[in-house]
Amino acid sequence: MKKVIKLTEKERKEMREQVKAMARKAYRVLGIAMREISVSKEYGQEQVETKLTFLGCVAMMDPPRRGVKQA
């Protein structure tokens, strides 16, 4: 059973601060969201990328590659 709750402005602000903190530590941060759609219907990008439900964030380390400093 899934439960969808609306984020408060305070929760949104806290989340943005956490994402900024991870980005300052050189993590790549991705937001994950979903939307249920019918497979029997075709959708354009504008239709699919609206009314999304935020699921969370993923942070991953992306170390610099060799030769980046010289570039």
Side-chain angles (χ1 to χ4, degrees), residues 52-64:
L52 298 171
T53 300
F54 176 74
L55 300 176
C57 290
V58 176
M60 60 188 134
M61 180 67 75
D62 188 15

Side-chain angles (χ1 to χ4, degrees), residues 7-63:
L7 294 174
T8 66
E9 190 53 44
K10 180 182 177 188
E11 291 169 325
R12 289 172 185 260
K13 183 179 179 184
E14 289 171 357
M15 204 172 310
R16 283 191 294 267
E17 291 303 318
Q18 290 177 356
V19 168
K20 287 179 187 177
M22 289 185 279
R24 281 192 295 272
K25 292 180 181 179
Y27 286 98
R28 301 266 182 176
V29 184
L30 301 174
I32 309 296
M34 63 153 293
R35 176 179 172 204
E36 291 186 27
I37 59 174
S38 172
V39 294
S40 62
K41 185 178 175 186
E42 288 198 29
Y43 297 90
Q45 183 175 350
E46 297 82 23
Q47 295 167 310
V48 173
E49 294 181 355
T50 60
K51 299 179 183 175
L52 298 171
T53 300
F54 176 74
L55 300 176
C57 290
V58 176
M60 60 188 134
M61 180 67 75
D62 188 15

